[in-house]
Amino acid sequence: MTTLYGKKQNAASLAERAGSLTQFGGVRLVTFGDGVERGIRVLEFRTGSGLTFSVLVDRAMDISDLAHNGRAMGWHSPTGFRHPGLHEPEGEQGLGWTRSFSGFLSTCGLDHILGPEEVPAENYNYPRKATVKQSLHGRISGIPARLTGYGETWNGDRCVLWAEGVIIQAAVFGEVLQLHRRIEADLGGNEIRLTDRVVNAGFAVTPHMFFYHINMGYPLVDEGSRYLAPIKDVSWASHESGGLEKQGVGYRRCPSPINGFSEQVWEYDMGADAKGHTPVAVVNDALGIGMLIETQKSQLPCSYQWQNFQSGHYVMAVEPSTHHAKGNLFARGRDEMIWLKAGEQRTYDTRFMVLDGAADIKKAEQQIAAIARQPDTDYPKPSGKFVPLHGAAGKKP
């Protein structure tokens, strides 16, 4: 049964109480009409539990807004949610992506992630294309989806709100990759389920890299907000050479906004539970809210934490990934690139769960600690060890 407003409900009992489900929940397709966002199709989800979120159909079906009972959890940058026609992936020496970067979820890939790099392209068998200049975090987040369906479906006494679409990243003499995305939430629920399937729809063997930039902002992220994760080892920190303590910000707690703050990125080797799940949470004890993100260790074996506490850009991100933070050439050099043959695919399953109240936060903290206890110091020294990834499956055929 669906629990809504403290009562067990089914399709018949709700139909008796309202002429349409849209009175308190559902999925609605709208179009933005002004500024840099003009023309973007958006799916608005309302579960009736207080959970609301928006899906940008024309930006890879990424999640922009996310809130619970009016308390924002997703991050908005100053760029706005720019129409894909304004996206500049090759601009500014490959950093043009930052002019369109905003929202709770930004998908990175499909053939490249992390910083701009020039990488070999002989796999495409085109003499004029010996290399490819890849820009920051790849191309997928700026590509519109072909929306294949959305709505509300009753499965017995359970109502599922859902949307599906296909995002195609393709080039002549280049990659032909498809991202098949399905997003679900239950009526009356506080959870979002994301299922992604990346397919090589071409005939050339193609590199594949993938990660989620899950961006959380104020008021979930505020002074004292905590980062909880089953960290087995701290592998790397972008700011180690300058001194981990230089900015006075460790990995465990968020500070207030800091003028002139330089971003910090940590990479961790995370543990997993008996089912292979890796849970990571960001919690605000003062407000009694949190976000728990659960991925599959076998699908996304690496995990980064992005800290950008600069005034006006105040955000922290959880970033599960297929590859280590040192990037594309690093992966190729270690034979850890994922090479997809024609028709081959990879699947990624993620859950986003709202933690509503101290009891939810405590339960999540216990769940994480039972897998591995994170370092009890704010500035754990990175080991420099990068666990081997993907095995023989990562070797180019």
Side-chain angles (χ1 to χ4, degrees):
M1 296 285 282
T2 293
T3 300
L4 199 62
Y5 311 124
K7 293 183 178 181
K8 298 288 186 181
Q9 304 276 14
N10 58 24
S13 65
L14 286 175
E16 292 172 344
R17 288 164 170 78
S20 173
L21 186 67
T22 58
Q23 182 169 311
F24 40 79
V27 188
R28 178 172 61 179
L29 179 63
V30 301
T31 303
F32 286 155
D34 202 9
V36 297
E37 302 170 344
R38 183 179 178 185
I40 294 180
R41 294 171 297 163
V42 183
L43 290 167
E44 297 180 336
F45 281 70
R46 294 176 299 134
T47 69
S49 69
L51 174 61
T52 60
F53 62 97
S54 300
V55 173
L56 302 174
V57 177
D58 291 315
R59 287 186 45 167
M61 294 186 70
D62 278 340
I63 298 172
S64 53
D65 309 297
L66 191 151
H68 186 261
N69 287 336
R71 301 169 297 183
M73 295 188 174
W75 171 66
H76 287 201
S77 82
T79 69
F81 299 110
R82 298 178 86 200
H83 188 280
L86 301 175
H87 189 47
E88 308 167 66
E90 274 94 21
E92 300 183 51
Q93 292 78 52
L95 298 177
W97 185 85
T98 62
R99 293 192 176 272
S100 302
F101 177 33
S102 190
F104 174 74
L105 174 66
S106 295
T107 305
C108 302
L110 298 170
D111 59 339
H112 175 80
I113 59 174
L114 302 159
E117 293 184 77
E118 187 167 356
V119 301
E122 74 279 358
N123 51 298
Y124 298 123
N125 195 33
Y126 182 50
R128 295 177 183 269
K129 196 172 190 175
T131 63
V132 175
K133 290 184 178 180
Q134 297 283 12
S135 55
L136 178 66
H137 293 328
R139 304 174 186 276
I140 193 64
S141 66
I143 301 176
R146 176 167 61 87
L147 186 60
T148 55
Y150 69 94
E152 308 87 24
T153 302
W154 283 94
N155 297 324
D157 290 334
R158 176 187 177 215
C159 183
V160 177
L161 318 181
W162 63 276
E164 288 186 341
V166 181
I167 305 97
I168 300 172
Q169 178 185 324
V172 176
F173 307 123
E175 76 278 8
V176 183
L177 295 170
Q178 296 179 349
L179 172 60
H180 296 253
R181 174 161 283 184
R182 181 176 174 89
I183 298 171
E184 294 184 349
D186 294 333
L187 185 68
N190 280 333
E191 173 184 299
I192 302 168
R193 297 180 295 276
L194 173 66
T195 301
D196 282 339
R197 184 165 53 90
V198 177
V199 182
N200 182 359
F203 291 89
V205 62
T206 300
H208 169 52
M209 305 179 82
F210 196 67
F211 90 91
Y212 297 118
H213 222 297
I214 304 164
N215 309 301
M216 285 155 280
Y218 181 81
L220 172 58
V221 170
D222 201 0
E223 183 178 9
S225 295
R226 295 186 293 145
Y227 175 84
L228 306 174
I231 298 170
K232 296 194 301 181
D233 182 51
V234 178
S235 305
W236 175 83
S238 64
H239 53 298
E240 182 182 12
S241 61
L244 294 176
E245 301 183 24
K246 182 178 180 181
Q247 298 190 99
V249 176
Y251 88 97
R252 290 191 298 178
R253 290 186 181 271
C254 300
S256 295
I258 299 171
N259 290 338
F261 185 84
S262 295
E263 70 167 7
Q264 298 182 168
V265 181
W266 305 77
E267 182 179 346
Y268 308 115
D269 179 20
M270 301 282 198
D273 65 16
K275 295 183 179 180
H277 299 150
T278 297
V280 177
V282 176
V283 303
N284 184 319
D285 298 291
L287 294 181
I289 59 173
M291 173 60 64
L292 181 69
I293 298 143
E294 185 181 87
T295 55
Q296 296 267 8
K297 176 76 171 180
S298 60
Q299 297 171 349
L300 297 166
C302 302
S303 187
Y304 327 137
Q305 178 192 10
W306 180 54
Q307 300 171 313
N308 184 18
F309 299 123
Q310 185 178 159
S311 299
H313 303 267
Y314 188 65
V315 58
M316 184 169 69
V318 171
E319 301 177 333
S321 174
T322 55
H323 290 85
H324 293 303
K326 287 202 168 185
N328 195 316
L329 292 173
F330 182 78
R332 291 170 186 252
R334 285 165 52 104
D335 285 330
E336 291 178 347
M337 179 59 70
I338 299 171
W339 294 95
L340 297 179
K341 300 176 185 178
E344 193 174 358
Q345 62 186 33
R346 290 290 178 107
T347 299
Y348 304 96
D349 304 289
T350 306
R351 293 200 303 158
F352 307 98
M353 292 158 278
V354 174
L355 304 176
D356 186 17
D360 278 359
I361 292 173
K362 182 178 180 181
K363 182 179 178 181
E365 191 164 12
Q366 291 173 340
Q367 175 190 357
I368 291 168
I371 299 170
R373 290 197 172 273
Q374 65 192 77
D376 59 4
T377 175
D378 289 327
Y379 305 100
K381 183 173 177 57
S383 69
K385 298 176 182 177
F386 295 93
V387 297
L389 302 177
H390 309 304
K395 295 183 183 295
K396 184 179 177 181

